[in-house]
């Protein structure tokens, strides 16, 4: 079942629980507890907790302001307009705009009973606690596990990267090879999916700050910048030359290493050996050879940047 479907189920359960509790304690406006529960359900534990805290604080501040206006001016409909003109900008400036609707529900209750009394205020506080508390309870009891999905996406990302490097190798060996490049679009889509799941996973772990999955997908996202540059440089290799075939051998090794869970350094060592051999070879004799060798040299530099990102980050992923 997808995340949206689960959220709907949680919202339904939290709403029913809130209404039942409010009715059991004979609170006024018990259905409003269900409305508050609907507003309190969120997609992650951390976001849900912040959401509830913001709504409670905004509601209490709104209730105090509205009570003051009603006490000083009276229970007139136009006073609600004054409340909105004053409260909404204040709550937005305090970064509590998510609580504007919640606070309005509470204020309208007070207006409807036409009195400011301790019992009325207490009733609204209990509605807040029951409605938003039910939502928080349901959120904390169950959140869909996303680790299995992230592992699947990681495998898909690495398969696509492997195929991208494979195609680069083919072209360096044979410049007549044609590649559509659809894997680049697909891998970026998968990386973005992984980032979204990793962020959700992080927000569901309130006390664990380090998120290896988030680091992993950020690493792949940064590496994509180098890959885009490498693809453009490979396209400039319009003739097969020995330097291209030597570089292709490095990419052949990368096809395998990209799927390994931790950094080995083999490809970087191979690349350094190839660069050393380049320096020992004769200078290009024609303009065409110069252009192609120049593109291959820049390709090696971009590949080194790609590998250095993995060298810094991939060692952390032994536990994945």
């Amino acid at each position: 079942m997808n995340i949206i479907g689960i959220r709907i189920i949680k919202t339904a359960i939290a709403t029913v629980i809130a209404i039942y509790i409010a009715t059991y304690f004979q609170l006024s406006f018990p259905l409003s507890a269900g409305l508050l529960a609907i507003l309190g359900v969120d997609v992650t534990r951390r976001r849900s907790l912040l959401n509830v805290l913001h709504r409670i604080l905004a509601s209490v501040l709104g209730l105090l302001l509205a009570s003051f206006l009603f006490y000083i001016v009276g229970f007139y409909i136009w006073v609600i307009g004054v409340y909105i003109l004053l409260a909404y900008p204040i709550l937005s400036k305090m970064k509590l705009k998510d609580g504007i609707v919640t606070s309005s529900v509470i204020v309208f209750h007070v207006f409807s009973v036409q009195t400011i009394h301790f019992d009325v205020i207490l009733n609204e506080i209990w509605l807040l606690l029951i409605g938003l508390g039910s939502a928080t309870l349901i959120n904390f009891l169950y959140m869909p596990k996303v680790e299995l999905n992230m592992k699947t996406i990681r495998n898909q990302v690495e398969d696509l990267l492997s195929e991208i490097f494979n195609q680069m190798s083919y072209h360096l060996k044979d410049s007549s090879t044609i590649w559509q490049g659809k894997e680049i679009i697909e891998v970026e889509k998968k990386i973005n999916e992984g980032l979204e799941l990793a962020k959700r996973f992080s927000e569901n772990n309130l006390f664990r700050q380090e998120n290896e999955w988030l680091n992993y997908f950020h690493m792949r996202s940064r590496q994509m910048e180098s890959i885009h540059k490498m693809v453009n440089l490979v396209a400039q290799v319009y003739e097969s030359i020995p330097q291209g075939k030597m570089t292709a051998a490095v990419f052949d090794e990368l096809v395998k290493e990209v799927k390994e869970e931790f950094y080995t350094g083999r490809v970087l060592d191979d690349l350094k050996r190839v660069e050393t051999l380049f320096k020992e070879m004769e200078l290009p004799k024609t303009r065409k050879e110069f252009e192609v060798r120049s593109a291959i040299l820049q390709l090696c530099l971009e590949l080194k940047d790609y590998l250095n990102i993995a060298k810094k980050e991939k060692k952390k992923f032994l536990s994945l």
Side-chain angles (χ1 to χ4, degrees):
M1 186 176 292
N2 58 38
I3 301 297
I4 297 176
I6 292 172
R7 184 176 181 180
I8 292 173
I9 292 173
K10 290 197 300 182
T11 302
I13 294 172
T15 302
V16 171
I17 289 174
I19 294 173
Y20 269 123
I21 293 174
T23 302
Y24 177 81
F25 286 105
Q26 298 182 340
L27 297 178
S28 301
F29 313 105
L31 293 178
S32 294
L35 174 60
L36 293 169
I38 292 173
L39 295 172
V41 173
D42 219 316
V43 294
T44 68
R45 290 188 178 99
R46 187 180 301 168
R47 202 181 301 177
S48 173
L49 188 58
L50 289 174
N51 177 18
V52 167
L53 291 175
H54 287 173
R55 290 184 186 280
I56 289 176
L57 182 56
S59 298
V60 171
L61 291 175
L63 184 59
L64 291 174
L65 176 60
S67 298
F68 175 76
L69 291 174
F70 293 146
Y71 180 78
I72 296 298
V73 181
F75 291 92
Y76 301 103
I77 293 177
W78 61 267
V79 177
I80 295 178
V82 174
Y83 161 76
I84 292 173
L85 290 173
L86 293 175
Y88 285 21
I90 293 172
L91 294 177
S92 294
K93 195 166 185 179
M94 295 177 67
K95 297 182 179 179
L96 298 173
K97 60 182 180 180
D98 288 342
I100 288 175
V101 175
T102 313
S103 65
S104 298
V105 172
I106 301 302
V107 169
F108 287 173
H109 286 172
V110 175
F111 181 83
S112 66
V113 297
Q114 299 281 300
T115 183
I116 301 171
H117 192 273
F118 176 76
D119 291 339
V120 174
I121 302 298
L122 187 61
N123 182 86
E124 300 309 314
I125 297 298
W126 275 117
L127 286 177
L128 277 171
L129 295 177
I130 291 171
L132 297 176
S134 298
T136 304
L137 176 64
I138 296 300
N139 272 330
F140 272 74
L141 284 177
Y142 179 76
M143 277 292 175
K145 297 185 181 301
V146 297
E147 275 196 274
L148 184 60
N149 291 339
M150 287 190 291
K151 287 180 180 178
T152 300
I153 292 174
R154 183 189 68 181
N155 292 335
Q156 292 171 338
V157 166
E158 290 170 357
D159 286 341
L160 288 165
L161 289 175
S162 180
E163 180 57 26
I164 290 170
F165 295 135
N166 204 28
Q167 291 296 332
M168 289 186 188
S169 175
Y170 285 153
H171 186 84
L172 291 170
K173 295 172 186 174
D174 180 4
S175 59
S176 64
T177 302
I178 298 174
W179 175 47
Q180 299 298 326
K182 65 178 182 178
E183 288 84 0
I184 294 178
I185 298 174
E186 292 175 9
V187 76
E188 288 184 327
K189 181 180 177 182
K190 290 297 177 182
I191 290 171
N192 288 332
E193 287 179 17
L195 280 170
E196 286 300 314
L197 286 177
K199 290 174 184 176
R200 189 172 295 147
F201 177 75
S202 178
E203 291 184 353
N204 278 328
N205 291 275
L206 297 176
F207 307 107
R208 182 182 173 187
Q209 297 300 318
E210 182 65 20
N211 186 345
E212 293 175 342
W213 284 109
L214 197 56
N215 292 339
Y216 174 82
F217 287 112
H218 274 310
M219 178 194 75
R220 291 305 187 193
S221 181
R222 291 197 300 273
Q223 286 180 324
M224 284 307 299
E225 297 177 13
S226 295
I227 289 174
H228 277 290
K229 294 176 183 177
M230 285 191 280
V231 169
N232 290 332
L233 289 167
V234 168
Q236 296 176 36
V237 180
Y238 53 85
E239 186 178 73
S240 298
I241 61 175
Q243 290 85 352
K245 293 178 181 178
M246 293 167 65
T247 306
V250 178
F251 278 100
D252 288 337
E253 184 64 28
L254 186 56
V255 166
K256 295 177 286 184
E257 191 188 69
V258 74
K259 295 183 180 182
E260 296 182 3
E261 293 188 358
F262 55 94
Y263 177 77
T264 65
R266 292 196 307 270
V267 176
L268 188 58
D269 291 338
D270 290 343
L271 183 60
K272 289 177 180 178
R273 284 192 289 269
V274 167
E275 289 178 332
T276 300
L277 290 173
F278 283 179
K279 293 176 182 178
E280 296 173 354
M281 300 176 79
E282 293 183 0
L283 294 173
K285 294 182 173 59
T286 65
R287 179 181 180 85
K288 181 183 291 187
E289 185 184 357
F290 171 80
E291 290 175 347
V292 174
R293 285 178 63 173
S294 176
I296 292 173
L297 179 59
Q298 291 180 63
L299 174 63
C300 290
L301 293 174
E302 284 300 332
L303 178 55
K304 185 181 292 185
D305 287 342
Y306 169 92
L307 294 171
N308 282 330
I309 293 173
K311 184 178 181 179
K312 292 178 182 177
E313 302 290 341
K314 204 172 183 181
K315 287 181 179 179
K316 300 176 183 177
F317 308 134
L318 291 172
S319 61
L320 291 183

